[in-house]
Amino acid sequence: MTRKFMDSFTFKNGVTLKNRVLMAPMTNFSSQDNGEVTAEELEYYRVRSGGVGAVLTAVANVTDDGKGFHGEIGAHRDDLVPSLKKLADTIKGEGAKAILQIFHAGRMSPPELLPDNQTVSASAVAPVREGAMTPRELTNEEIEQIIKAFGDATRRAIEAGFDGVEIHGANTYLIQQFFSPHSNRRDDKWGGSVEKRMTFPLAVIDEVNKTVKEHGSDSFIVGYRLSPEEREEPGITTEDTLTFADRLAQEDLHYLHVSVQDFHQGSMRDESDTASRVQLIQDRIGEKLPIIGVGSLHTPDDVEKAMEGGVPLIALGREIIVEPDWIQKVETGREEEIRTSLSVDDRETLTVPEPLWQAIVNTKGWFPVKEHQNA
Ligand SMILES: Cc1cc2nc3c(=O)[nH]c(=O)nc-3n(C[C@H](O)[C@H](O)[C@H](O)COP(=O)(O)O)c2cc1C
């Protein structure tokens, strides 16, 4: 059977992915405390980079006070370039394009990971979460420094040999915090109307693009990831996101990655609105900017069905952890051998670093699990 997602895909800059399936960005909690990648993390990526068209790495922080997780990849100091190079070389060495995801966690940082144990954000509004710290509002000067830090992290990605960066504007982190009317209550140039809440994300995109012009080449890919809605009141609405998407379609970007848990999921703010958020964005701007869809897709049929409405690229997250050889099994006619759930017996054969494995087995309902392979 020929599968449409096995066709190559060429971005507007002429760079071609050998197929349309990407590994979704997934934090693996396995880098060293100083941000350097570890041998087990490289091995985890090596075994997952032989099939997919591109690997979007676990997110990397662009500043010291933007760290979001234990064991996060660091992109915030020049001395981390050799570590980033190891990661890029590992992924590219197996044939996938390597794209580094970059962010600042803002008010979502665990305070104990920060130099002064104080989170920061657009405004001093705590996330809706038991015991969450109220962040300190960033000054204008600090905002400008963070924007510059996104440029510096991009330069390091270029020096390390990455094929691109993905600006992480999703999943409630700092860039989203500026776009959100919940976390951004500012009335200066960075906040207010939906247009003004776009100021920070657009400034980050500009800085990244400026850096690529200066230090990289036309072949460097710049993508953007967003979450289409927030549950909070006030919070990001689909209407806000479609307005933002119109604007992003005018930017010099190569793709827009829509972060949702389920590709087909409707609105989280209005249960009666069941249309897929990914598809809505595809229908609105897909002609101008390639969309990456993601979310609870496991089998080749799932991926093909998701692409039916014209979404050209699909990222697989948990599925690529569970089945590193997903593409190879499609390629060699062994689709029925694709694993779609995790067994506690698979730890060794799956090459999953211990911290990620612990997170997976200790978070109930996160991964589809079967008890024992031979039970
Ligand atoms: C272990 C794990 C870590 C994740 N870390 C990130 C991350 O670093 N950046 C990000 O944008 N999304 C992250 N996500 C979200 C995934 O990229 C993806 O959007 C989500 O898992 C839904 O896709 P899936 O059903 O194919 O797993 C993570 C998900 C998992 C399971």
Side-chain angles (χ1 to χ4, degrees):
M1 191 189 318
T2 54
R3 293 289 198 176
K4 191 167 169 258
F5 57 74
M6 294 302 287
D7 291 350
S8 63
F9 179 85
T10 302
F11 290 107
K12 67 176 182 185
N13 61 357
V15 172
T16 297
L17 304 185
K18 64 184 176 189
N19 60 57
R20 290 157 181 254
V21 178
L22 300 86
M23 178 172 168
M26 283 182 290
T27 292
N28 54 54
F29 316 102
S30 305
S31 298
Q32 296 178 41
D33 285 347
N34 68 1
E36 285 177 22
V37 297
T38 54
E40 60 172 354
E41 192 173 11
L42 292 174
E43 191 55 12
Y44 158 85
Y45 278 111
R46 193 187 61 74
V47 303
R48 289 173 173 80
S49 302
V52 292
V55 170
L56 307 171
T57 67
V59 75
N61 49 301
V62 302
T63 67
D64 226 11
D65 67 354
K67 192 165 176 172
F69 303 93
H70 281 282
E72 189 163 281
I73 299 171
H76 56 300
R77 295 189 316 266
D78 285 346
D79 66 86
L80 289 166
V81 171
S83 150
L84 293 171
K85 184 169 182 332
K86 280 187 208 161
L87 181 56
D89 286 349
T90 298
I91 295 168
K92 292 190 303 180
E94 299 300 309
K97 297 289 180 202
I99 299 182
L100 183 72
Q101 195 189 47
I102 51 175
F103 89 150
H104 184 300
R107 69 178 186 174
M108 300 306 283
S109 288
E112 71 273 14
L113 294 184
L114 306 182
D116 61 357
N117 303 126
Q118 172 61 59
T119 56
V120 294
S121 189
S123 299
V125 179
V128 184
R129 202 178 44 175
E130 186 110 354
M133 173 185 265
T134 301
R136 182 175 61 72
E137 177 172 306
L138 289 162
T139 64
N140 196 55
E141 197 187 342
E142 287 172 318
I143 295 171
E144 299 287 358
Q145 281 165 2
I146 292 173
I147 292 166
K148 184 165 176 307
F150 274 93
D152 290 339
T154 301
R155 171 183 50 75
R156 294 179 194 117
I158 292 166
E159 288 168 5
F162 275 94
D163 297 297
V165 290
E166 178 170 283
I167 301 167
H168 191 2
N171 301 2
T172 75
Y173 299 113
L174 187 67
I175 298 179
Q176 180 171 330
Q177 289 162 32
F178 269 90
F179 186 58
S180 162
H182 187 271
S183 35
N184 185 348
R185 310 284 171 103
R186 302 177 75 102
D187 55 12
D188 57 5
K189 72 169 181 172
W190 306 107
S193 63
V194 64
E195 283 75 22
K196 288 177 95 178
R197 286 185 277 116
M198 291 180 202
T199 311
F200 181 75
L202 293 174
V204 170
I205 294 170
D206 274 357
E207 185 69 25
V208 166
N209 278 330
K210 202 177 87 191
T211 307
V212 174
K213 283 217 164 59
E214 212 173 307
H215 298 275
S217 72
D218 283 350
S219 65
F220 196 77
I221 296 163
V222 178
Y224 189 89
R225 191 173 214 211
L226 61 71
S227 297
E229 283 187 326
E230 286 175 342
R231 282 182 204 284
E232 286 85 355
E233 202 54 65
I236 297 170
T237 63
T238 296
E239 204 42 49
D240 285 345
T241 294
L242 291 175
T243 306
F244 188 27
D246 286 341
R247 181 57 208 263
L248 291 174
Q250 297 167 25
E251 294 296 307
D252 194 6
L253 290 171
H254 295 94
Y255 68 79
L256 177 63
H257 189 175
V258 183
S259 179
V260 284
Q261 267 307 107
D262 183 330
F263 181 95
H264 302 284
Q265 99 193 17
S267 172
M268 53 164 78
R269 298 177 65 85
D270 173 5
E271 276 178 20
S272 68
D273 181 0
T274 56
S276 155
R277 299 300 95 174
V278 185
Q279 192 60 48
L280 280 181
I281 295 171
Q282 167 67 28
D283 293 345
R284 180 81 161 229
I285 62 155
E287 293 279 297
K288 297 182 196 139
L289 184 60
I291 302 295
I292 302 181
V294 69
S296 303
L297 305 173
H298 297 280
T299 65
D301 285 345
D302 290 347
V303 172
E304 210 147 75
K305 183 158 174 279
M307 293 175 84
E308 270 169 11
V311 169
L313 296 164
I314 294 291
L316 297 179
R318 290 165 295 175
E319 181 55 35
I320 294 291
I321 293 185
V322 171
E323 182 52 86
D325 292 332
W326 199 92
I327 288 285
Q328 292 88 330
K329 287 187 175 172
V330 173
E331 242 168 5
T332 52
R334 294 181 292 140
E335 287 190 6
E336 70 288 352
E337 290 177 30
I338 290 177
R339 291 168 285 191
T340 53
S341 63
L342 203 76
S343 162
V344 288
D345 303 324
D346 291 341
R347 162 87 177 85
E348 290 304 316
T349 54
L350 286 182
T351 320
V352 176
E354 185 61 23
L356 176 57
W357 186 256
Q358 286 307 322
I360 291 171
V361 295
N362 291 322
T363 316
K364 241 190 150 106
W366 200 17
F367 275 67
V369 172
K370 62 175 185 284
E371 283 310 312
H372 286 282
Q373 198 93 290
N374 305 316

